[in-house]
Structures are given as C-alpha cells and as structure tokens.
Amino acid sequence: MVDNDYFVYQLNSKLANDERIFKLSSKTQEKTTGIWSIVFIVNAELYDAYLDNKLKEKVKTIIREIMPASQEFKVGYEKTYTSEKYIKHLIYDYLYRYTPLLYPQVNNAPIKVNLDINVVRIEMILPPILCDHMHNTENCTKLTELLNSKIIEEVLLEFVPDENGDPEHNEYFTRRTTILSSGADFSIKTSPYKIIKQIINAVLHEPRVIKEVNRQESEMCSVAGAISHFKQFMRKTVPLPYFIFKLNDGTGEIQAKYFPKSEKQADLFSKYVGDGCLICVEGPIKWDDYSNSFCLIVYRAADCVLEEREEPKSEKKLEKREVPINYFLVFPQPYIDEIQLDIFKQGNASALSNTFKDDVVVFDFETTGLNAVECCIIEIGAVKITSGKIVETFWSFVKPFHPIPPNITKINSITNKDVAYAPEWKDILPDFYKFSFGSTLVAHNAGFDMAFLHNQSNPHGYFFDNPVIDTITLAKSKINLASYRLDVVLEHLGLHNAKAHRALHDAIATAKMYIVLSQMKKP
C-alpha cells in the first residue's frame, strides 16, 4: 500500500483546484476482510456545496488508479468544523477516553485556540506535573494526531505549565482565563455518582451524563443511574444467562446489556444488581437492531451512590427566595398511626430520638416519565419525621405541562382528569419549600426525585440545598438483598405499603422503612 503522503499527492494532482476540498483523515486495513477503509474530512460548508456524487465517483476512480489492483477499498466522508467549540470538544473527549484517572484534574483546564488561515495553534494550561506527564506519556503527540485527523487545517498543540509563582505568567493566565471563561462549557459533562464498590472488573472513567451519550455510538463510555426494567434471560449457545436493563440518571435513559463470561460473574452481577439499584457501568455504546435504540454493552460494573456536588455558577444569578411565613395552597395534615406507635414500643425510643436530632422530610414524586428535563411532576407526597416519629403529611396532585402518557397511568392510576384542575408546581413549590426547610431530605432512589426537584424548582428561585439521604444506599449498608426496590425492602422488613406507586403512600412507607433501618446495626 502506498504511503499517505504519496497517496494524497497523487489524489490532489488529478483533481482540479476547486475540487481539492478533502483532507485524509484515516487509511486503515480491516483485519478480517483485508479491505482498506479510506476516510476524508471535508469542511461542513464545502461538503454541502460541492461534494456531490459526481465528485465522489471521480475520487473513487483516482484512488483505483493509485491503489494496487489486488486491493479492495471503500471511501467515506465526514463533515468537520474549524471552530473553537468543536476543537475543545475533541480535546476534552480525548482526555476523557484516554486519561480517565487524570480527567477530573484537567477537564476545566483553560484552553487557548488561535485560528489562522492554514494553521490552528492550541495551548492548554496545566499544572507543571501534569504538563510533564502529558508529554512523557506521548499524549501530546497522540492528541495532535487525533486533531489533525479531524480538522482541515494543520494543528499545533502545546501543553503549557501553570507556573503559579511567576507574576508575569499569572497576569497572562488571568487574561487567558478571562478570554476563555466559557471553556468549561465544552468539557465532557459527568454525572454526580460516586463509585463505592467494584462489582465486575474495574470501572475506570467518570460516568457521563446519559442525555449526551445515548444518541450516538461510542468506543468506550461510563454512565451511572438507577436501574429499571431489569430482566434475566438464558443464552441459546452457552449455559449462561444475560441481563438487560435500563439506566436513568435524571437527564436521560439508556438500555444496557451484560453478557457474563462465567457463572461466577453471573451470580455476582445478579446479587448486587436489580431494579432500584444505583450502578455505574462501562463499555461501548452500539446500535441495537432488536430494541431499535442505542445500547451500552457492559464490560465493567460498580456499585455507586449519589454524590452531592456544588452546582456551577450561572452568569445570570437567580435571587434566592425567602421561606414563606404562611402556607397558601397545600396545608400539612397531622399523622396518627397505631402501627407507628408499636414500632417505638419495640425499640429504644430515646436512642431512636437521638438519631433524629433534626427534622426529616421523606418525599416521593409521581411523574410523567423518567427524564427530569423533559418530563414533569404530577403528584407529590411527603411526611415529616420529628424526634423519630411521623408527625405531618404533605400531599397534592400537580398539573403537568403536557398530557400524562397512557403507560404512566397504568402504573400509578393517575389520569389527566385527576390533574386537570390541580395547581401547577410553581404554585405548590413555596409550600413544600416551607414544609422541608431546615430538614434532611430522604427518598428511595433519591437521585431520581432530587433531579426533578432541582430542575423544576431552581428556575423559580427555590434551591433545595438540604442534606439528602437515599434509602437504597442505607438499605444496602444494613441488609443484603437481591433487589432494593421499595416493595422488596418493605417486605423484608415486614412493612406494608397500602397503595404502591402513589406519592403519599410511598412516602409513608419509605419513612417507616427509614425509621426501622436507622435502628438496625451494620452487619
């Protein structure tokens, strides 16, 4: 096979000036078939204006003349963009994929991009030790090669050490940071889940936000979230099971499949993974013809918990609302339950009260779907625990901003008629803010409910920065179950939920479960 420089020279020599719109991105030979795959990049504007079938056929004819007659090939074309935003995305994506251990330290590093006519000069400012590491591990060379395969112009990349003790450099660094203040917007967004225990192999990358990865194929990616639709099937070719489930992190949902290589892996996976569990998985994302959607093939898996992170500061600062003096729409109601009294008789009430030094509000949402960005709340139920006892309830239907899907009504029996005249969330919000102010928030699969609470409350100036406890995490620390779905944990503890999938009943059941689990000692 001819070398790349000679190949490009021969191609350009046979093209007219206005036809030389290509740059060779890659030229690789498939191991199984021996077919050469040749990919060109074309500026997006030129791609749409000049790259027609006639020019493609001409390129194919020229390549046939250049290549040996015995070698088969196929030609592909990709659009490219010489923009600062696109270049930064390529850099952050490379760092996420190939330097997973360093990525948390470099994902917000300032980047300067100078766009000239034929050259793109890039400088990335890093602490000196990281700067040396990137050069010593040849990441500078590899990243430069990647950028040159994706950008029409020649790319010159340099990692610049951040010398904190140099006043002149600090002035330059400050000026550069000001110019690139929005640079972090192009970084790879990761979700707030913290790995606590590896289950299958070792997850290397920080989990990415699902809504950014569930619409395209990827060589390797990590995501985390709550599991639903967990199913196990037997394979036809080998006596081993495989698992299919969905993951939701509050921003989106993705299907995942796991094919264990041994009975030990299968037993380990089924022991720790099930509906309601929080899990981080890693593997390639491929198009799945069976489900007609993108699917993550699990190579690695880990148990995880929701980690509270400081929200990034917005350029437009919203004024934080004061706690209302009075309730206006939803008034808390007293709660009395003889079963609750029995719980305290069986346990040490004084010791239990010490566990609940501050008020606790256990809450649950019923929603129109799993995506906290696109879906909305249709019912809220909450209870307040004071000194270890449930003392008040808070409940209301919520009028959604779109119709309730039929599949949701089948689950919770809430119809569009039920919520037609209900108050909107923005009107209920001040009352719930008052009800929960100063309390610890508790929920089963808290990441799901907190995503809805933040997404639909923050724009109105109500910021719920309360401490948060996830009863799934609490249950995992106290009892060993195959699944940590609410109904499974309740049954194990001998508790009953009068009406599952209704917000107030789920909140009451979760509160009783939380009280019982708080009394138990870790195994």
Side-chain angles (χ1 to χ4, degrees), residues 81-95:
Y81 306 85
T82 306
S83 69
E84 186 174 332
K85 180 177 180 179
Y86 180 62
I87 292 170
K88 288 180 179 178
H89 175 78
L90 291 173
I91 294 173
Y92 286 125
D93 186 67
Y94 172 89
L95 295 172

Side-chain angles (χ1 to χ4, degrees), residues 118-144:
N118 295 314
V119 178
V120 177
R121 291 181 173 84
I122 304 169
E123 291 184 0
M124 187 171 188
I125 302 175
L126 297 174
I129 189 170
L130 290 181
C131 192
D132 291 339
H133 174 81
M134 297 300 282
H135 283 288
N136 294 336
T137 55
E138 297 185 350
N139 275 294
C140 185
T141 302
K142 293 176 182 178
L143 181 52
T144 302

Side-chain angles (χ1 to χ4, degrees), residues 40 47 54 86 152 250 280 297 305 319 357 359 451-452 477:
F40 294 101
Y47 188 104
K54 182 179 179 181
Y86 180 62
I152 287 289
C280 177
I297 308 301
V305 295
E319 183 179 350
K357 294 180 180 179
D359 286 348
F452 274 89
S477 69

